[in-house]
Amino acid sequence: MADDEDNASSVLDADTFIETESPEVIIARIEGKSRQVERLLRIPQYAEALETALMDAPTQTRDERCKSANWILVHRVLMATKDVDGLLMGLNPELHDILMKYLYRGLATGDRITCDLCLRLHERLFDMAGIGCIMRAISDTQNLV
Amino acid sequence: MTIRFVFLQANTLRPYLTCIRNTLTAAMCLQNFPCQEVERHNKPEVEFKTSKELLLNPILICRNEAEKCLIESSINSLRISIKVKQADELENILAKKFLRFLSMRAESFQVLRRKPVQGYDISFLITNFHCEEMFKHKLIDFVVAFMEDIDKEISELKLSVNTRGRLVATEFLRQFT
């Protein structure tokens, strides 16, 4: 019984969470990505821009600044897109889960325009990715976006 | 101008309810889980939040600045808290009174919580026992239909209050003409 308690606490203890990269490295990478995303948005290539923004999302860190920085980037791409269906059609299926997590983050903001967009995207993404996508987004307590 | 505003509002209602329905379908996967800390106790884990591994991420779905829905799930229970739209003081009072009326009769609703969660107007608590007795999809239909009807009810109440006020004022002031 005592063993189980120790195991349980070590799995979820924030202090023992091993951070592979320092926050500064992650922020530098996100800044590099933002330049690439701006370039892609000017062309405009929305699907590629979204893929760049979602790739290597800082889920393996506890630093809030990195997460906010990446969220701002994803938000920028989503607001710039006009064609919602086309955007999701061209998206790599591996990135569906991370996009769903960002959509829930967008829905939590409360800003009318963001929420409107996120609700529409949520509906389309659910049609494409299915209920498993939502399940993975809500049950993943370790890799928060 | 008002017609267009109403149309825009109706436009976001459908996706908002669809999102809540889909999220609830995913979050309402409940199973029996006796309490880990105390023998022979069976508690809804979402209310006590004693063990982190039994809880899922809480999901907040906002339609706009005024309306939102918080869905907290755990292994054996699910809590849904709703904040309804309150455009002015009168709607504020009506919503508070009406939802308090419903919350006081939570026994007959079974899935309703007696007190809403802090910051929200009304809360539901669905446990694995409810899912065993009742259909999961019907429970979700109930919650979504409840959300749709609440707005209609409060608008009707507001309309009847205004009509009554106008009639009373007309009758009263008639004696002075």
Side-chain angles (χ1 to χ4, degrees):
Chain A
M1 287 298 157
D3 267 324
D4 292 333
E5 270 177 48
D6 288 335
N7 280 339
S9 61
S10 66
V11 162
L12 299 159
D13 202 355
D15 297 330
T16 60
F17 188 81
I18 302 163
E19 304 220 0
T20 47
E21 293 178 302
S22 75
E24 288 74 25
V25 171
I26 299 174
I27 289 190
R29 198 175 63 219
I30 294 174
E31 277 171 25
K33 271 204 293 182
S34 76
R35 282 189 286 271
Q36 216 180 338
V37 162
E38 289 297 331
R39 191 174 46 83
L40 287 165
L41 285 177
R42 249 176 273 140
I43 300 173
Q45 274 183 326
Y46 298 116
E48 280 76 14
L50 186 60
E51 263 193 56
T52 317
L54 293 175
M55 206 77 88
D56 289 329
T59 54
Q60 301 288 328
T61 178
R62 289 270 191 256
D63 191 33
E64 276 310 312
R65 292 170 301 161
C66 308
K67 293 184 197 277
S68 308
N70 210 55
W71 158 241
I72 291 168
L73 194 58
V74 174
H75 186 236
R76 170 100 183 75
V77 176
L78 293 177
M79 295 298 266
T81 319
K82 314 274 185 305
D83 175 28
V84 164
D85 285 321
L87 179 72
L88 292 176
M89 289 296 183
L91 191 63
N92 188 356
E94 287 172 8
L95 297 172
H96 282 167
D97 291 346
I98 201 98
L99 178 61
M100 186 58 89
K101 289 182 188 177
Y102 274 117
L103 287 179
Y104 277 122
R105 186 171 172 151
L107 286 171
T109 56
D111 170 44
R112 186 182 292 260
I113 309 164
T114 314
C115 288
D116 191 25
L117 178 66
C118 287
L119 285 172
R120 277 185 289 145
L121 275 165
H122 187 279
E123 198 178 345
R124 292 278 173 271
L125 186 59
F126 174 75
D127 290 332
M128 283 182 68
I131 198 145
C133 191
I134 302 183
M135 287 232 72
R136 284 185 290 272
I138 61 177
S139 59
D140 196 353
T141 48
Q142 297 294 324
N143 303 326
L144 293 169
V145 91
Chain B
M1 192 61 88
T2 21
I3 300 169
R4 194 156 152 260
F5 177 70
V6 165
F7 179 67
L8 284 167
Q9 280 281 76
N11 252 354
T12 51
L13 182 63
R14 278 285 122 235
Y16 177 57
L17 294 176
T18 316
C19 180
I20 291 179
R21 181 187 289 273
N22 296 334
T23 314
L24 281 179
T25 318
M28 205 181 288
C29 289
L30 311 175
Q31 65 182 66
N32 188 28
F33 193 85
C35 182
Q36 292 185 127
E37 270 90 38
V38 187
E39 268 180 34
R40 302 222 245 165
H41 275 210
N42 198 319
K43 311 185 227 203
E45 292 296 333
V46 79
E47 291 286 347
F48 293 88
K49 297 196 165 78
T50 42
S51 310
K52 274 188 286 194
E53 70 270 14
L54 303 174
L55 305 172
L56 297 183
N57 293 327
I59 301 278
L60 181 62
I61 301 169
C62 300
R63 183 182 168 189
N64 47 46
E65 292 81 8
E67 287 180 75
K68 53 186 177 169
C69 172
L70 177 67
I71 299 172
E72 302 161 282
S73 187
S74 70
I75 189 164
N76 63 357
S77 45
L78 167 68
R79 189 163 73 182
I80 308 153
S81 308
I82 304 166
K83 180 140 192 69
V84 305
K85 171 172 59 94
Q86 283 153 28
D88 52 26
E89 270 303 312
L90 181 59
E91 275 193 21
N92 206 340
I93 297 168
L94 287 172
K96 216 171 97 182
K97 283 204 175 299
F98 181 57
L99 293 172
R100 198 167 152 270
F101 176 84
L102 292 177
S103 301
M104 284 292 143
R105 286 146 185 83
E107 289 282 306
S108 48
F109 281 104
Q110 293 187 58
V111 291
L112 208 60
R113 197 170 181 262
R114 277 196 166 267
K115 276 188 77 102
V117 168
Q118 187 81 302
Y120 294 84
D121 294 325
I122 193 160
S123 295
F124 294 88
L125 177 66
I126 301 175
T127 61
N128 57 295
F129 300 112
H130 295 140
C131 289
E132 283 164 24
E133 287 170 23
M134 300 181 261
F135 287 129
K136 191 171 119 169
H137 60 279
K138 286 288 180 195
L139 278 169
I140 296 170
D141 283 344
F142 172 71
V143 173
V144 173
F146 186 93
M147 292 181 74
E148 262 181 297
D149 293 339
I150 273 289
D151 285 333
K152 273 187 234 149
E153 287 281 341
I154 292 180
S155 306
E156 268 175 46
L157 283 171
K158 188 177 170 184
L159 209 63
S160 73
V161 164
N162 283 333
T163 314
R164 234 190 354 260
R166 204 177 320 118
L167 280 171
V168 165
T170 320
E171 276 304 311
F172 180 73
L173 293 171
R174 205 180 289 250
Q175 63 187 306
F176 300 115
T177 58

